[in-house]
Amino acid sequence: MTAALLSAEGLSFGWPGRPLFRHWSHAFGPGLTWVQGGNGSGKTTLLKLLAGALTPAAGTLRCRGIAAHEAPLDYRRQLFWSGAEPIAFGHLKPAEYFDFIAGLYPTLQPQALPGWVEALGLTPFLGRRIDQLSTGSGRKLGLCVALAVGTPVLLLDEPLAALDLRSARVVSQALAALADDGSRCCIVTSHEPLGSAEARAQRLDLDALLADGGYSR
Amino acid sequence: MLAALGWVLALGLALALGLALMGWTRRRAARPARLIATKTRPDAIAAVRPRHWSHALLWLPLRRRAGRGSALLLLLGGAAMPALAASPWADPAVQGPGLAVLALLSLPLVALLRQRLRQMHSPWQAAGAALPLAARQLERAGAAVALLPLLLALPVLAVTLAGVGARALPALLYGLVLIASSLIQALASNDEAPATRAMRWLLCAALLCATAWESVPA
């Protein structure tokens, strides 16, 4: 039995008029976890809760023993969330964004970045500001950072959406490598097949957990 | 008379500089966005170096479109506030009004800068909720930036008040009220009730005007 890197204990959260999680507990171990569910099932909400971007009504989130409510900054330093939305810091150029993230995450591996930038075909766009990038290029930029950031936990929301075939293959291979990594935990939501990573991923089906309009376990 | 002319000249120069900078920034912003990168530099990311978040969320936006309004206000305020702080040198007749105008300009300037910086930061605060970056840090940094024009004016004001032989106690009171009221303005919550805000403004304005007039020798 491997120790959990990230755990939710008695998590409760809901949107107005729509309870989602009721005293929900789950432990995420090393490797790849694929969160599945239909549209609106709460996959993105779950990732945002785990990332610390949303505050649960009740319950405790712990990452490597650090409780989110006790030391929020230390907790968030343990994980990196790459959302499906465009990167908000549109005024920055990619290199400036990397510098910014490197300042926040001491674990970032700068030497890994050029490789991911090249593999995802971002090199021609390095001179542009983030708000001048296309949706796909913006996603690739977020993924480059996510794959190089080196945090123990990665939270990737629809990482394959809006990517070209070549880049999707690169990301699938990266996910497969993360699935075999015994020291890191990667939680992914995706409607797309995960390719080579699929067979190695543990699945968490939110639709199967649904009971009385909310998830509880 | 000569001092008054010098002061008017300095004020005029400061205004002209501010207007020229405003025009230059507008012309620069009106250029079409460069969508095609002329030169790609893969080496640009080879030298990633950790930078403090204030570089990305404060310094760079002020130099770019995201914080253009705030930067212009900072420039104008940074020019006007020290000029007004030096105004008592010009003519004994304008010493009291000069100090009062400085104080009365300080409050709306800090309020406006604070509001603009909050507007600039609000989307980043939401996005930064998942980053190891406390929203309080951004708030404090915004407050510090909003106080910059006043911080520039304070040394000038201290030298001026000493130079014109201002009355010590009222001048000290004036300075303290000016700093305190601007500080409260910079740190005031966005959700403050309008009535409370209006009351605070009136009280500060009355105190500042009274101490300004009392500071200068009759």
Side-chain angles (χ1 to χ4, degrees):
Chain A
M1 179 76 182
T2 47
L5 285 172
L6 179 66
S7 65
E9 296 152 25
L11 194 71
S12 294
F13 182 83
W15 298 110
R18 187 171 171 246
L20 263 179
F21 298 96
R22 278 185 293 198
H23 309 294
W24 184 77
S25 298
H26 192 86
F28 296 90
L32 182 67
T33 302
W34 184 6
V35 181
Q36 294 175 304
N39 291 123
S41 59
K43 301 185 298 297
T44 299
T45 303
L46 174 62
L47 253 59
K48 283 187 176 177
L49 277 166
L50 296 175
L54 292 174
T55 311
T60 306
L61 289 164
R62 281 181 203 281
C63 188
R64 297 172 88 199
I66 301 168
H69 65 280
E70 284 170 4
L73 294 188
D74 287 338
Y75 173 85
R76 287 185 229 156
R77 216 166 273 128
Q78 303 298 315
L79 41 86
F80 186 83
W81 170 58
S82 176
E85 303 93 352
I87 294 170
F89 309 103
H91 62 288
L92 299 176
K93 290 181 178 177
E96 294 163 347
Y97 181 60
F98 295 147
D99 290 346
F100 168 56
I101 294 294
L104 294 176
Y105 292 92
T107 49
L108 186 117
Q109 299 149 341
Q111 70 280 7
L113 275 170
W116 289 119
V117 166
E118 190 62 41
L120 292 173
L122 258 184
T123 309
F125 309 108
L126 291 178
R128 297 182 189 177
R129 284 201 321 260
I130 292 174
D131 59 8
Q132 293 174 339
L133 295 177
S134 67
T135 308
S137 298
R139 291 309 316 276
K140 288 178 188 177
L141 181 65
L143 287 167
C144 279
V145 171
L147 295 171
V149 77
T151 50
V153 176
L154 270 185
L155 305 164
L156 306 178
D157 195 2
E158 297 289 346
L160 301 174
L163 295 188
D164 53 68
L165 278 175
R166 182 172 161 263
S167 303
R169 206 161 37 240
V170 170
V171 174
S172 291
Q173 285 163 0
L175 291 177
L178 282 165
D180 294 335
D181 190 336
S183 63
R184 297 179 75 192
C185 164
C186 179
I187 304 168
V188 176
T189 70
S190 181
H191 288 294
E192 322 276 332
L194 296 182
S196 52
E198 208 166 302
R200 282 171 264 187
Q202 302 158 53
R203 287 158 204 245
L204 175 65
D205 190 350
L206 289 186
D207 287 336
L209 296 177
L210 190 66
D212 301 328
Y215 306 116
S216 55
R217 192 168 75 178
Chain B
M1 186 62 190
L2 199 64
L5 274 175
W7 178 70
V8 169
L9 193 68
L11 195 63
L13 274 173
L15 268 173
L17 179 72
L19 287 171
L21 277 167
M22 199 188 295
W24 174 73
T25 325
R26 278 204 181 131
R27 279 195 302 277
R28 201 163 167 252
R31 282 182 212 156
R34 205 166 36 137
L35 285 175
I36 304 296
T38 50
K39 195 178 173 187
T40 55
R41 291 169 47 230
D43 58 309
I45 51 157
V48 170
R49 54 182 186 279
R51 277 190 183 271
H52 192 258
W53 57 264
S54 58
H55 179 78
L57 303 189
L58 220 52
W59 172 240
L60 288 176
L62 285 175
R63 288 168 52 195
R64 293 180 185 164
R65 197 172 51 177
R68 194 178 63 212
S70 310
L72 282 174
L73 265 178
L74 265 177
L75 282 172
L76 286 174
M81 295 279 284
L84 278 169
S87 66
W89 285 110
D91 188 339
V94 299
Q95 284 176 352
L99 290 178
V101 170
L102 169 72
L104 294 180
L105 178 72
S106 172
L107 290 181
L109 181 69
V110 171
L112 200 57
L113 264 170
R114 194 72 202 91
Q115 188 199 11
R116 293 201 74 106
L117 288 163
R118 274 201 178 115
Q119 277 173 358
M120 183 176 90
H121 282 155
S122 61
W124 302 338
Q125 279 192 330
L131 294 172
L133 172 64
R136 207 176 43 209
Q137 288 176 301
L138 261 182
E139 274 286 309
R140 283 181 187 161
V145 172
L147 287 169
L148 270 180
L150 178 67
L151 289 177
L152 283 175
L154 281 178
V156 181
L157 184 68
V159 172
T160 305
L161 289 176
V164 299
R167 294 156 69 188
L169 190 61
L172 185 69
L173 265 177
Y174 170 79
L176 286 176
V177 176
L178 180 62
I179 294 170
S181 57
S182 302
L183 200 64
I184 291 169
Q185 183 62 52
L187 296 173
S189 159
N190 220 15
D191 308 323
E192 191 181 27
T196 315
R197 188 179 308 155
M199 207 165 68
R200 180 164 50 77
W201 274 61
L202 279 173
L203 182 69
C204 289
L207 270 172
L208 285 165
C209 285
T211 48
W213 252 274
E214 285 299 313
S215 297
V216 292

